[in-house]
Amino acid sequence: MAGFSIRFLGCKVSHTDAHEVRERLLADGHTEGGTDVAVVNTCCVTHEAVRKSRQAATRAARTHSRVYVTGCAANLAADAFAGLPENVTVVTRRSEETPAFVAGDVGALGCVQADVRLDRVRAFVKIQDGCSFSCNFCVIPLVRGASRSRSVAAVLDEVRRRVDQGHREIVLTGINLGCFRDRQAGYRLPRLVREVGAVPGLERLRLSSIEVNHVDAELVAVLRETPVVSRHLHVPLQSGDDRVLRDMARRYSASTYLKRLEPLEDFNLTTDAIVGFPTETDAAFDRTLAVIGAAGITKVHVFPYSPRPGTVTAERDTVAPAVKKERSARLRAASDAACRARWRRKIGAEDIVLVDRPGRGYGDDYSPWLVDAPVGELVRVRGASVSEEGILAA
Ligand code: SF4
């Protein structure tokens, strides 16, 4: 039996992939903890993410006998991990094949724990992987391949299993969720959300992220009509300037983005934005700020542009680092102010909070609350004041 540890870098899909490896190792009879095996599921979305991934692998090589480097950065640039000690194996496989590969290499001990609970209130269930959109800056299609979906039956099975294990909240994850299709069963994302939302015992349901092109009347209706769906949606903007959006090969204009989100104005909307894309001028950046304000977005995940190998813009990086830094700071400040404003509106109002960590939880719209209640409980609260970290419950 091997003792293992798993860590991931990057997005919710990376998190889900890491947990799939974890579950497979537990199911094969290995135990968490100990220093035999470490798995580092990596990220390559920026140069910095690859650097941190290598750093994590280097550290793990010192503390563990065997290290498996998996995930996006391993697939993009196995040479980014060149020169690491001999106990490091770089696994250049698709996410679907990785758990079996790692488990096979570590060696199975027989199925002693076929059904393993994740130790979180929230479970991430992957419904789709890969992307066929080919945005000019993005390396994801190169490392994860074209879009493909799990079957509805497999997704529903996993959701029911997670709920039976005690998870209160499910987050449907994928690289490009709106591309989810089960042609045989006749499902696209809206119908799947409706069906998952009807699983008995499920308290909360969220989508990890969705491209604005997929936010249509049908999806909006399902989000509104499914009681367990959170009033939260993460819709990447990347830029609020039409020229930059075109240069990025995004498939919408700033006005389309705003129009599509109009019916969700009461939702807590969050986004991703890239700053310092090669054709982003000061005026273009100001338009990004303006669109974020007009859409009523709260949290912005800011990504300073970083050219990625193999992409259309791989050789272009013309905005000075200091400018990227300054624009990132302005965007983060705007995001902080928007979050605070939304939180302040909850003072005196009631919400239902799902407590996911000691002293903390999230309300119905995924706003953070500070509450004193047992982890895993859904509690009715009233907003008393706001702090740096969220809304204080009375
Ligand atoms: S939609 Fe664009 S940014 Fe998102 S994963 Fe696909 S190619 Fe990358």
Side-chain angles (χ1 to χ4, degrees):
M1 180 169 66
F4 69 90
S5 71
I6 304 236
R7 74 162 290 196
F8 76 97
L9 294 96
C11 66
K12 293 189 178 88
V13 176
S14 173
H15 174 239
T16 313
D17 288 347
H19 272 288
E20 276 169 15
V21 177
R22 171 184 181 263
E23 288 201 307
R24 179 60 198 256
L25 290 175
L26 287 170
D28 280 1
H30 306 294
T31 54
E32 245 175 333
T35 56
D36 299 320
V37 173
V39 180
V40 180
N41 203 59
T42 59
C43 174
C44 66
V45 76
T46 58
H47 177 68
E48 182 61 10
V50 176
R51 195 186 63 75
K52 284 189 178 155
S53 297
R54 184 182 161 101
Q55 207 175 47
T58 308
R59 256 191 242 119
R62 278 191 225 117
T63 51
H64 289 73
S65 311
R66 263 183 295 171
V67 178
Y68 295 90
V69 176
T70 58
C72 286
N75 280 296
L76 174 71
D79 57 346
F81 301 94
L84 290 182
E86 274 183 9
N87 60 340
V88 177
T89 304
V90 180
V91 182
T92 52
R93 302 205 170 224
R94 286 267 171 103
S95 60
E96 295 93 328
E97 299 160 7
T98 299
F101 175 84
V102 173
D105 209 59
V106 172
L109 298 161
C111 275
V112 295
Q113 291 186 63
D115 200 17
V116 184
R117 190 190 193 286
L118 305 178
D119 26 59
R120 283 182 180 234
V121 171
R122 177 177 304 119
F124 297 93
V125 174
K126 185 153 73 170
I127 66 168
Q128 179 275 347
D129 203 337
C131 182
S132 308
F133 270 23
S134 312
C135 299
N136 282 342
F137 57 84
C138 184
V139 76
I140 298 296
L142 300 178
V143 292
R144 289 199 170 260
S147 177
R148 59 229 181 248
S149 303
R150 287 175 81 192
S151 71
V152 168
V155 172
L156 287 172
D157 266 6
E158 183 171 351
V159 170
R160 288 191 198 103
R161 189 157 57 90
R162 296 293 178 217
V163 171
D164 285 350
Q165 289 168 340
H167 293 289
R168 317 290 301 263
E169 176 176 5
I170 296 289
V171 183
L172 300 180
T173 68
I175 296 294
N176 195 336
L177 274 190
C179 291
F180 172 84
R181 306 258 180 296
D182 180 339
R183 286 203 171 80
Q184 240 174 338
Y187 277 68
R188 293 161 78 110
L189 184 66
R191 191 171 171 203
L192 180 74
V193 170
R194 207 184 283 280
E195 201 108 334
V196 170
V199 168
L202 179 62
E203 306 276 4
R204 276 223 175 131
L205 175 60
R206 283 191 302 119
L207 303 182
S208 62
S209 167
I210 182 124
E211 289 294 315
V212 76
N213 317 62
H214 297 130
V215 181
D216 56 13
E218 191 187 0
L219 184 69
V220 169
V222 166
L223 297 177
R224 290 211 170 277
E225 288 160 16
T226 310
V228 295
V229 167
S230 277
R231 298 289 177 261
H232 166 251
L233 209 58
H234 185 85
V235 189
L237 170 66
Q238 309 305 11
S239 172
D241 179 76
D242 286 345
R243 157 96 201 271
V244 174
L245 286 171
R246 257 197 320 274
D247 292 345
M248 287 177 165
R250 300 288 290 169
R251 301 172 174 208
Y252 52 84
S253 63
S255 61
T256 306
Y257 185 87
L258 289 170
K259 214 177 167 67
R260 294 256 178 161
L261 295 186
E262 245 170 41
L264 296 167
E265 60 177 2
D266 55 322
F267 272 49
N268 179 19
L269 299 171
T270 57
T271 200
D272 298 330
I274 294 172
V275 297
F277 187 77
T279 52
E280 186 187 69
T281 59
D282 285 339
F285 174 70
D286 286 343
R287 281 191 273 280
T288 299
L289 277 176
V291 170
I292 283 171
I297 282 162
T298 56
K299 180 80 191 158
V300 182
H301 297 272
V302 180
F303 296 91
Y305 172 75
S306 160
R308 308 310 300 128
T311 62
V312 174
T313 59
E315 305 302 327
R316 302 177 62 202
D317 189 11
T318 46
V319 176
V323 175
K324 284 184 192 167
K325 206 169 160 191
E326 188 261 339
R327 288 181 192 163
S328 299
R330 280 174 65 198
L331 202 43
R332 288 196 185 105
S335 164
D336 286 350
C339 288
R340 291 286 201 107
R342 186 172 185 95
W343 300 349
R344 273 197 297 272
R345 289 201 293 276
K346 293 180 187 288
I347 295 175
E350 282 201 343
D351 201 348
I352 307 280
V353 169
L354 177 58
V355 185
D356 68 341
R357 281 167 294 166
R360 284 158 189 271
Y362 287 93
D364 176 56
D365 68 352
Y366 204 51
S367 288
W369 283 77
L370 305 173
V371 291
D372 187 16
V375 173
E377 292 285 297
L378 277 163
V379 288
R380 185 172 288 279
V381 293
R382 183 178 290 277
S385 59
V386 302
S387 77
E388 293 277 299
E389 296 163 82
I391 309 142
L392 281 126

